[in-house]
Amino acid sequence: MSTLSSVAVFCGSRFGADPAYEAAAVEVGRTLAERGITLVYGGGRVGLMGAVADAAVAAGGEVVGVIPRSLDEREVAHARLSELHVVETMHERKAIMAERAQAFLALPGGMGTLEEITEQWTWTQLGIHAKRSAFYDVGGFWQPLSALVDSMVRTGFLTAEHSGLVSFDQDLDALLGRLAEPLPAQTKGYDARP
């Protein structure tokens, strides 16, 4: 098992309906900081994004934020980060986050959260990078997606090997351990054959 040095966290710019989501964001930020793992995230100070960053900063962690100029006003860029990168496009944001992170973790969130984490998982599947992705399944939030992934395997649109590149768990320690594991040597990227 290797050691994680940085994790990109994708999560909502809102808090969501369940207070457990904010508590989980705080837990993630604090835990990453306590373990010396740099938090890479979307740069905002609102919603779960702000909660995870605030917790990491309060625990003395390194926090790298990346926010597009167009979202700077809406998501209100966090002012107390180790680094804040204001970029021109979402594509730049995601590229910098992918470059700076060793692995990717999704907390509850909306369409942006889902798009960002699945893109990184897809990049691993395609062999663009060799980094793991995981979903912190707070209160079963990601269970419908987990079921969809199982369905993709059953129906032949996703291999079991590629489904294994992503993890779903309600246990943060288990997820961080899984994210630290190197990819299997046989993972070679996308193959369209069954």
Side-chain angles (χ1 to χ4, degrees), residues 49-62:
M49 291 173 61
V52 72
D54 286 343
V57 168
E62 287 286 315

Side-chain angles (χ1 to χ4, degrees), residues 11-23 25 46-49 51 108-110 141:
C11 57
S13 59
R14 298 179 181 196
F15 286 106
D18 188 337
Y21 303 150
E22 182 179 2
V46 296
L48 298 186
M49 291 173 61
F141 181 86

